[in-house]
Amino acid sequence: MRRKIVAANWKMNLDIIEAAEWLGEVGAQVHEGSCEVLVFPSFVMITDLMDMYQGEHIVFGAQNCSHKESGAYTGEVSATQLASIGIEYVIIGHSERREYFSETNEMLREKMEVAIKSGLTPVFCCGEPLQVRNENKQKEFVKQQLEETLFGFSGAAVAEMIIAYEPVWAIGTGLNATAQQAQEMHAFIRHEIAGKYSLDIAAQVSIIYGGSCKPDNAKELFNCADVDGGLIGGASLNANDFLAIIKVASL
Ligand code: PGA
């Protein structure tokens, strides 16, 4: 269902003490009228944080899951294991996983499959690198990511998931996409989903933006017609900055 979402992707940052402090500060200020707030900590601390949090308005997710269902894959964490501890969301296809861990569109399709089968909601990340943007081929690039990973799933599954458009050149660089660039790509993604499935499915899917989103640019980005919130990396590590972004999305 389409809604306003602000998600914290902590990546490999914060230890349990810092995370608990953050949760105390953010948890105290996220309430019923807030947008949907998702937090993606490292695997090792998710259950501790879920136990610590007494409220109902922050939902926890995982940053990754294995593309295999179970078995001899040392160091991996399966979607079923995540679901079994009460996790509802999983990020799939983040550009750092694609780049540093060689995750391909095909492997991501397998991850989506096990995640959906386990009852998790995927936050599917897509977005083009700088060179592709410079060649003005970003739409073709993102279209291929959608086709090879997403478009084998049912319309009902796609309507439920969250898509994060994260141009690689904007991630962690301080150089965010302009509102116009974000809106253009979000509208394109929705258009492609409408073409593959239906207008109704396209209207239901939440498409959030990620890449150097901060308190001072969130309003401009979230005001775009097809931008349903943000996936926040760097600025999510600071409780006050993250709260400021939540406030913008909750207006
Ligand atoms: P950033 O990261 O906000 O630090 O650019 C966003 C992301 O990688 O999800």
Side-chain angles (χ1 to χ4, degrees):
M1 204 213 10
R2 192 167 171 195
R3 59 214 187 268
K4 273 274 188 290
I5 299 159
V6 171
N9 175 14
W10 286 352
K11 311 187 180 185
M12 200 170 68
N13 295 298
L14 303 186
D15 62 25
I16 186 68
I17 298 183
E18 293 164 332
E21 254 173 47
W22 184 101
L23 187 60
E25 287 173 49
V26 174
Q29 294 199 52
V30 172
H31 48 78
E32 183 115 32
S34 304
C35 63
E36 185 165 319
V37 177
L38 307 179
V39 182
F40 294 87
S42 298
F43 288 132
V44 287
M45 60 179 77
I46 304 179
T47 22
D48 281 352
L49 295 173
M50 284 167 83
D51 288 347
M52 265 175 224
Y53 179 59
Q54 297 300 317
E56 292 163 17
H57 305 295
I58 296 179
V59 179
F60 294 87
Q63 295 173 15
N64 182 32
C65 69
S66 172
H67 61 300
K68 298 291 184 184
E69 268 185 68
S70 65
Y73 302 101
T74 303
E76 287 289 88
V77 175
S78 75
T80 337
Q81 290 171 327
L82 294 173
S84 76
I85 60 165
I87 286 174
E88 294 172 45
Y89 290 90
V90 60
I91 296 177
I92 292 178
H94 192 280
S95 67
E96 287 149 16
R97 303 274 342 154
R98 294 174 187 265
E99 184 179 348
Y100 306 134
F101 303 96
S102 309
E103 295 189 358
T104 61
N105 286 344
E106 168 55 21
M107 182 194 262
L108 297 173
R109 194 196 56 71
E110 290 172 13
K111 289 193 181 209
M112 298 287 281
E113 199 167 305
V114 288
I116 292 168
K117 202 168 156 194
S118 305
L120 299 176
T121 301
V123 178
F124 173 69
C125 301
C126 56
E128 79 288 354
L130 184 60
Q131 197 196 333
V132 171
R133 170 65 64 167
N134 286 342
E135 289 165 3
N136 200 25
K137 294 204 170 114
Q138 62 274 10
K139 286 186 179 162
E140 291 94 315
F141 188 91
V142 169
K143 184 174 177 172
Q144 191 174 354
Q145 290 180 322
L146 297 174
E147 281 174 346
E148 293 184 5
T149 301
L150 221 61
F151 284 176
F153 295 97
S154 70
V158 171
E160 285 305 311
M161 60 182 70
I162 299 171
I163 296 177
Y165 169 57
E166 299 206 305
V168 181
W169 47 270
I171 297 177
T173 59
L175 181 74
N176 60 287
T178 63
Q180 196 197 339
Q181 287 170 324
Q183 170 55 25
E184 200 180 334
M185 185 59 86
H186 284 231
F188 173 73
I189 293 170
R190 221 180 279 288
H191 172 266
E192 289 302 303
I193 294 171
K196 168 74 188 171
Y197 299 98
S198 67
L199 277 173
D200 187 43
I201 300 289
Q204 286 180 59
V205 64
S206 299
I207 309 177
I208 61 178
Y209 168 81
S212 298
C213 184
K214 299 190 191 73
D216 62 0
N217 59 27
K219 191 168 177 193
E220 207 193 342
L221 289 160
F222 298 172
N223 273 345
C224 297
D226 287 290
V227 177
D228 300 316
L231 180 54
I232 321 296
S236 76
L237 299 173
N238 178 292
N240 287 331
D241 285 350
F242 191 61
L243 280 166
I245 296 171
I246 292 172
K247 207 164 154 196
V248 171
S250 307
L251 289 174

